[in-house]
């Protein structure tokens, strides 16, 4: 009887042991599966974080590249050097993570820190560029104001120059010898008036030189030009300087001018050809000025 119970107890004990061993195996196996799932989840989270950081880096780098033109302004700036160094470190970490199947939280943390550094440097860099832009805008406004002032001064100078030129011209014209009462008369051989121009032996041009205190005093040479109706210059008394050229004249006369009026100045030309009726032009010159140009009808 006792042996029977002993065998039964031994059998139950063996079953219990097997059950315990099986349970332990099942628990161990289940724990391994849970650990594996947790590890896979952690890798997925780390991979997702890696992708997020990679996208953030791409956004930061693209924003930085918008300021490549301004970057030349800060070529020697430590911020640019620091940004370049941090960028290289980020790209190195990203390459390492990409090549490894198992991601490390420590590596992800390093990548997070370097991207945070990039973000801070970019903010500082953009702030500097913005400050420089404001300074440049201020300088442009100041330069525009200076240009406006210079244009205003230039306009004033030009206006003063024009006034001076006008005054100079007026002064120069004021110095010109004046003539009034210009007339031409054909004469007979005895010096009396000849009404028929075809019978004239002499032509007399008369005029008055009025008083002019602005005209320099001294000896003056008055040059006379008489142009026939056919357009030919009468006479040949040499040439005189006028406006950079040599101009032939009909006759000339020297006078002494003291600033006072000289009435009845007369210049004669001896006719050496038969003159025709028509319109004659009389011109008087002195001191490189054309004093007058008048037209007269001489009849037959």
């Amino acid at each position: 009887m006792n042996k029977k119970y002993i065998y039964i107890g031994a059998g139950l004990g063996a079953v219990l042991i097997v059950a315990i061993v099986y349970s332990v195996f099942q628990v161990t196996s289940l724990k391994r599966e849970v650990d594996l799932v947790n590890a896979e989840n952690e890798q997925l989270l780390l991979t997702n974080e890696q992708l997020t950081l990679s996208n953030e880096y791409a956004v930061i780098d693209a924003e930085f590249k918008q300021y490549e033109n301004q970057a030349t302004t800060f070529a020697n700036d430590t911020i640019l050097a620091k940004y370049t160094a941090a960028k290289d470190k980020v790209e190195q970490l990203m390459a390492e993570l990409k090549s490894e199947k198992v991601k490390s939280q420590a590596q992800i943390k390093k990548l997070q820190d370097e991207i945070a550094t990039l973000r801070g440097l970019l903010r500082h860099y953009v702030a500097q560029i913005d400050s420089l832009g404001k300074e440049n805008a201020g300088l442009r406004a100041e330069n525009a104001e200076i240009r406006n002032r210079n244009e205003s001064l230039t306009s004033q100078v030009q206006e003063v120059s024009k006034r001076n030129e006008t005054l100079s011209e007026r002064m120069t014209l004021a110095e010109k010898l004046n003539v009034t009462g210009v007339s031409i008369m054909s004469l007979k051989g005895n010096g009396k008036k000849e009404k028929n121009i075809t019978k004239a032996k002499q032509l007399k041009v008369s005029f008055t030189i009025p008083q002019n205190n602005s005209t320099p005093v001294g000896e003056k040479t008055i040059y006379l030009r008489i142009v026939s109706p056919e357009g030919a210059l009468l006479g040949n008394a040499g040439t005189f300087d006028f406006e950079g050229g040599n101009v032939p004249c009909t006759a000339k006369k020297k006078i002494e001018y003291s600033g006072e009026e000289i009435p009845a100045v007369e210049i004669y030309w001896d006719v050496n050809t038969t003159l025709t009726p028509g319109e004659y032009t009389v011109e008087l010159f002195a001191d490189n000025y054309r004093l007058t140009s008048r037209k007269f009808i001489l009849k037959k």
Side-chain angles (χ1 to χ4, degrees):
M1 185 69 176
N2 289 334
K3 288 183 180 181
K4 181 179 178 179
Y5 287 111
I6 290 172
Y7 290 142
I8 292 172
L12 290 173
V15 170
L16 181 60
I17 290 170
V18 170
I20 292 171
V21 170
Y22 179 76
S23 297
V24 170
F25 175 78
Q26 287 291 99
V27 170
T28 302
S29 177
L30 182 60
K31 183 178 182 302
R32 287 177 181 174
E33 290 181 4
V34 170
D35 290 342
L36 182 60
V37 170
N38 287 337
E40 289 177 353
N41 287 337
E42 182 180 359
Q43 287 299 305
L44 287 173
L45 290 174
L46 293 176
T47 300
N48 185 62
E49 182 66 19
Q50 177 188 349
L51 291 173
T52 301
L53 293 172
S54 177
N55 291 334
E56 185 176 355
Y57 165 72
V59 171
I60 292 173
D61 194 50
E63 186 175 352
F64 182 83
K65 286 179 179 178
Q66 294 178 2
Y67 300 94
E68 285 181 342
N69 292 334
Q70 292 93 328
T72 56
T73 307
F74 301 101
N76 298 322
D77 196 342
T78 55
I79 295 178
L80 182 59
K82 288 180 180 179
Y83 182 90
T84 303
K87 177 182 175 182
D88 293 342
K89 185 65 176 176
V90 167
E91 291 178 349
Q92 179 184 349
L93 288 170
M94 289 175 60
E96 290 175 0
L97 285 168
K98 187 176 181 180
S99 64
E100 294 178 0
K101 293 183 179 180
V102 179
K103 313 299 180 185
S104 167
Q105 180 64 51
Q107 288 176 308
I108 296 294
K109 181 64 171 63
K110 285 182 181 179
L111 185 59
Q112 287 175 333
D113 293 342
E114 291 298 334
I115 288 179
T117 300
L118 277 183
R119 194 185 304 111
L121 290 171
L122 178 61
R123 281 198 298 267
H124 191 179
Y125 194 75
V126 171
Q128 273 198 338
I129 291 175
D130 183 61
S131 175
L132 180 63
K134 290 178 180 178
E135 290 178 7
N136 288 340
L139 289 174
R140 284 194 294 271
E142 185 177 347
N143 288 338
E145 183 179 355
I146 291 174
R147 281 197 301 272
N148 290 336
R149 289 178 183 175
N150 288 340
E151 288 175 0
S152 177
L153 288 174
T154 301
S155 178
Q156 291 178 17
V157 169
Q158 290 176 346
E159 184 177 352
V160 171
S161 297
K162 288 180 180 178
R163 289 178 183 174
N164 289 339
E165 288 176 3
T166 301
L167 289 173
S168 177
E169 289 176 1
R170 289 178 180 176
M171 290 178 63
T172 302
L173 290 173
E175 294 178 354
K176 186 180 78 167
L177 203 65
N178 294 321
V179 294
T180 60
V182 180
S183 65
I184 185 171
M185 181 184 295
S186 57
L187 304 175
K188 297 178 180 181
N190 58 7
K192 292 183 179 182
K193 183 178 180 179
E194 174 59 69
K195 293 182 179 181
N196 189 341
I197 186 61
T198 62
K199 297 180 179 180
K201 300 300 181 181
Q202 199 173 44
L203 293 180
K204 180 180 73 172
V205 174
S206 303
F207 53 91
T208 295
I209 300 176
Q211 178 182 353
N212 188 348
N213 295 328
S214 298
T215 302
V217 299
E219 186 179 75
K220 308 285 184 182
T221 301
I222 310 295
Y223 298 94
L224 168 65
R225 282 173 51 89
I226 302 176
V227 180
S228 70
E230 294 77 23
L233 177 70
L234 302 180
N236 183 14
T239 61
F240 60 94
D241 295 331
F242 181 68
E243 294 183 349
N246 294 321
V247 180
C249 64
T250 302
K252 57 186 176 181
K253 182 174 185 176
K254 290 185 178 181
I255 61 169
E256 189 67 31
Y257 186 69
S258 63
E260 300 297 328
E261 179 181 300
I262 304 177
V265 179
E266 297 174 344
I267 302 179
Y268 294 88
W269 175 68
D270 294 331
V271 177
N272 55 15
T273 185
T274 300
L275 300 178
T276 59
E279 185 179 73
Y280 286 75
T281 301
V282 174
E283 293 181 314
L284 295 172
F285 295 80
D287 297 333
N288 207 30
Y289 291 110
R290 179 186 277 109
L291 307 182
T292 188
S293 179
R294 297 282 305 278
K295 295 184 182 298
F296 299 91
I297 300 296
L298 299 179
K299 300 178 179 179
K300 181 175 179 180

